[in-house]
Amino acid sequence: MAQDHSSDHNHHHHHHGDDGDGHGHHHGHENDRGWSGAVRYLRHAPDMWSSEINDAVLAALAPADGELVVDIGAGMGAGSMLASKRGATVLAVEPTPFLRRILQARARFDRSSGSVAVLDGAAEHLPVADASVDALWAVNSMHHWVDAEAAVVEIARVLRPAGRILLLDEDFGDPTHPDYERFGGDDAHKGPEHHGFSMVDVERIGGYFRDAGLASVRAEKRRFADRPALVVETA
């Protein structure tokens, strides 16, 4: 069931609404806005609705009954819905109005889901109270971050002292990835960037977390769910 938790979890300068037609404050990367962004997301809708990589991330992070958790770049809710079914209260943060509307409808009509609050925000602007979050994740959304350092500062702000994080971008440019050919392979004009995926500097992001006081965070390229990935997680 979708709920409005913005008043409970809002940080004083982080929640900005929109009227659904592109007016108002915009979060996220400019490539995700407008009709072109909507068309691209519809092309990937099956993977955004549910996916093996989201299943694996939620299994590893293991949100528990009663925990407050955050899904950054929640999209159509592949991870948010799984977490809600485990009993967690989910703050689904999504900068794109089109995707928020889909997720709001999904949460409202899925009778098996628990508490999912769909919020306008981004990694750099989390509408979440300080030191309130038990677990936080992002799947294939780090490459959308406009300011990675600001995003890390925000994540460090909202996380409880014993909170858990798992941020993951699949490396679609790696020939060993099962979807390597699907995303263009070696074709320079139709590689991962053509589909909206760009490589993130995972070691640099790890450095930002250390600077923010989260020394237990490990950032590296490794295999996750039997595919190459850029992974940032609490040890």
Side-chain angles (χ1 to χ4, degrees):
M1 177 175 61
Q3 300 182 8
D4 182 5
H5 287 196
S6 59
S7 59
D8 296 333
H9 303 288
N10 195 16
H11 191 246
H12 70 280
H13 66 285
H14 290 132
H15 186 70
H16 301 271
D18 63 77
D19 59 13
D21 62 358
H23 300 295
H25 187 90
H26 291 291
H27 293 300
H29 197 282
E30 61 183 7
N31 289 343
D32 301 323
R33 303 173 195 157
W35 287 109
S36 62
V39 170
R40 185 171 71 252
Y41 284 126
L42 285 173
R43 189 183 308 128
H44 299 298
D47 292 329
M48 297 184 72
W49 193 264
S50 64
S51 70
E52 292 181 2
I53 195 66
N54 272 281
D55 294 350
V57 165
L58 269 295
L61 198 60
D65 187 15
E67 286 191 323
L68 179 68
V69 302
V70 172
D71 184 358
I72 297 179
M76 296 181 184
S80 294
M81 303 305 289
L82 286 175
S84 72
K85 287 176 172 61
R86 297 176 70 114
T89 295
V90 182
L91 305 182
V93 178
E94 172 54 51
T96 307
F98 171 73
L99 294 177
R100 284 201 306 275
R101 285 194 288 270
I102 292 175
L103 179 49
Q104 286 167 343
R106 181 179 186 181
R108 186 176 299 117
F109 292 107
D110 188 337
R111 300 300 181 185
S112 66
S113 70
S115 175
V116 178
V118 182
L119 304 177
D120 176 16
E124 301 90 343
H125 302 281
L126 295 174
V128 182
D130 295 355
S132 63
V133 174
D134 297 293
L136 177 151
W137 71 94
V139 176
N140 288 330
S141 69
M142 280 192 288
H143 63 277
H144 289 280
W145 295 358
V146 176
D147 185 338
E149 186 172 12
V152 168
V153 170
E154 274 291 84
I155 291 170
R157 176 183 67 79
V158 305
L159 203 66
R160 291 184 186 275
R164 315 182 302 283
I165 65 171
L166 179 48
L167 316 173
L168 179 145
D169 266 19
E170 295 176 73
D171 185 358
F172 293 102
D174 188 316
T176 67
H177 193 286
D179 288 327
Y180 175 72
E181 293 299 331
R182 174 185 172 192
F183 286 103
D186 293 324
D187 188 332
H189 300 291
K190 293 188 177 181
E193 289 78 8
H194 174 78
H195 295 273
F197 294 103
S198 57
M199 296 297 290
V200 300
D201 188 338
V202 71
E203 293 183 1
R204 179 168 56 89
I205 292 176
Y208 292 151
F209 273 105
R210 289 188 290 273
D211 292 343
L214 297 179
S216 64
V217 170
R218 179 178 62 194
E220 61 188 355
K221 178 178 177 178
R222 68 179 179 87
R223 296 196 74 80
F224 188 98
D226 197 31
R227 63 193 69 196
L230 304 166
V231 183
V232 181
E233 62 184 334
T234 43

